[in-house]
Amino acid sequence: MDLDPECRELGMHKRNKHVCDQESRTSSRVCEKCRYIFDNWSPATDEYDQDHPYAEWRHWENILAFKDAASKGCHLCILFLSQFKESEIEDAEGAMRNDEMDTLSVLAQCEPMTQSASRRSGQGCWSLTLTLPLSDGPALSVLSMSPFFVALEPYADFSTSTMAKPVLQVAKSWLGDCIRSHSACRPSQHGSNPTRLIEVGADGPRLILSAGICEPISYATLSHCWGSLKILRLVKSNFTQLQQKIPLDELCQTFQDALKITEEVGIRYLWIDSLCIIQDDPEDWNREALQMAVVYGRSSINISASKATDGSMGLFASRNPKSVERLQVCLDWEKWDTFPEVPDPLGDICKGTLYDCAPLFMHKRCISESPLGKRAWVLQERILSHRSLHFSSQLFWECKERTACETFPGWLPGILRWKDGNIEAEDNLEHWFAIVWLYTRCKLTFTKDKFVAISGIAKSLQERYHDEYVAGFWRKDLERQLLWYSTRPTTQPSPPRAPSWSWISTDSAVNSHPAAMYRPYLIKVLDVKIIPAGNSVFGNIRQGVLRIRCGYLIPFTLGSKPTSINSHRQIFSGGRMFSISLVFMWDYIDAEEYSGQLYLLSACRNRATRATGWYW
């Protein structure tokens, strides 16, 4: 076999019985350590021990050798390395320099994934995980999928930057296909056009007022992190000036890039919050902030600056093309004869099964766990938008009928698609609390916005639920929704933003007790009254009153102070100490120190044991 010097030095093989040779791309270039994994995959996966359902291989001895293999072109090492945080690599290298360890053992593990998880794939999936010591967790799990599912999909020309023409052409094809073929993705026609839009044109962008335009306008929206960067904003003093022209050189990089993308995909108008809402006019801000369901629901496409922590970073990213190109391998398993002969995309024959390898958590890392994905306002924007184009280390597309990316431009395999909790639940309350679960784990710069930043979702779901919105809940089955708890005590907001029975009253992430979904309730909500601070029940509220029917209230006092959050406490009632102990999940930090009299209210009963299982 004739190898080029670089391949020979690294131990790379451009053809062996397990790795397909395709001259038009370098997917088959793998280092000797990675090649060893594929050469020995068959005995590890043929008949695995149920007690130890994985095989393990020693990879490179240290991080330097690992990085060297990636720099010399090993496709699998590049995929692995691209999944580490830069800080994890630095910590590993620092530990070596400081002699905290002689070597860094990089291990690779292969284990089977459930058949049900491998959507449409009779062969099942295997997870190849590489773990680096000192990191928070595994760097990468490599997906293996059946060839007739995704392997034969045409490969794209991967570029060194997401701003390259071929990359943007992929984005335009996604949008075009969606407009032509996806009936579920058509923007809502309810409501009016946004009050203000940015007109994109050859003469430079300018702010326009849509009041005089009767027909629906096709426009794009932008999701971005404000960060601490001072950006050009629409204020009273420049309102007239920006209608003449918005100076490009005063716009942050993200805004400039968003204008380019809007024009590139053939859309004339763009909506950006900081330039379309008057930022120093509270009345305008409150009115426009409550229109997010309409603004994002009517948008033709939402552009998401997923990787950027502020406006200086822009939309586009430089990358190693192989970090987004999938590695294709052919495993020559003698006992697996389901696909005895599989043609590869270029016409060669691989006796065995052809597999695609790609990072298992690529969707989660690039979107849900991105800097933008952790923002509370952006959760609303993502849910409300019918189509979203995410700019990360690669482009991702999300619409109602398709999720795709550059690596898998046709569609993202189901097992790679990260589902945020129970967000797709058909039951209305499970669906809503999945949204609440996500929302309370996102960040808000101003916690006073907690009602408003979810108001768009609530307004859009009211038609689906056919229900009354009450302070973060829905009137039907309110008893079930009231059984939430804080995951950690926080400082009590001052002044209170919501009644204490609403999850919006706390800054903590919240959970709903799973068993409470199915237990008989010992309380009955008789009436609930909400007095909004403005003109909408979806915005901030001035007062919320809940009237319930319940059983006896049990007066008690607490025993010794807790030694830790959620610790067990004995209770005293009626002059004697109860032998039971309760777990107290406090909403506020100062409540942990409380030592006066409290009252227990039985809220639900365990259907199986008939024991009272939840108290207020």
Side-chain angles (χ1 to χ4, degrees), residues 318-392:
S318 298
R319 78 278 178 94
N320 185 325
K322 286 187 180 179
S323 66
V324 293
E325 180 183 353
R326 31 190 221 272
L327 168 65
Q328 196 169 64
V329 297
C330 182
L331 300 183
D332 190 12
W333 298 356
E334 294 180 359
K335 295 183 180 180
W336 286 53
D337 298 325
T338 309
F339 301 105
E341 288 191 348
V342 179
D344 88 349
L346 295 183
D348 292 338
I349 295 297
C350 169
K351 187 174 182 180
T353 304
L354 193 65
Y355 283 90
D356 280 326
C357 298
L360 184 60
F361 297 110
M362 57 194 302
H363 186 235
K364 177 184 178 183
R365 286 173 181 255
C366 290
I367 300 179
S368 299
E369 292 186 348
S370 69
L372 186 67
K374 297 174 183 176
R375 306 302 303 177
W377 280 100
V378 173
L379 174 67
Q380 174 169 257
E381 295 161 7
R382 182 182 173 194
I383 290 175
L384 293 174
S385 300
H386 292 266
R387 308 181 185 108
S388 291
L389 181 62
H390 301 269
F391 284 81
S392 185

Side-chain angles (χ1 to χ4, degrees), residues 33 104 224 229 305 358 364 389 426 499 576:
K33 300 292 186 181
L104 283 180
H224 67 105
L229 184 72
K364 177 184 178 183
L389 181 62
E426 294 185 5
R576 64 190 183 90

Side-chain angles (χ1 to χ4, degrees), residues 120-134:
R120 301 186 191 179
S121 173
Q123 289 287 13
C125 299
W126 297 86
S127 172
L128 178 62
T129 302
L130 185 143
T131 304
L132 181 68
L134 303 180

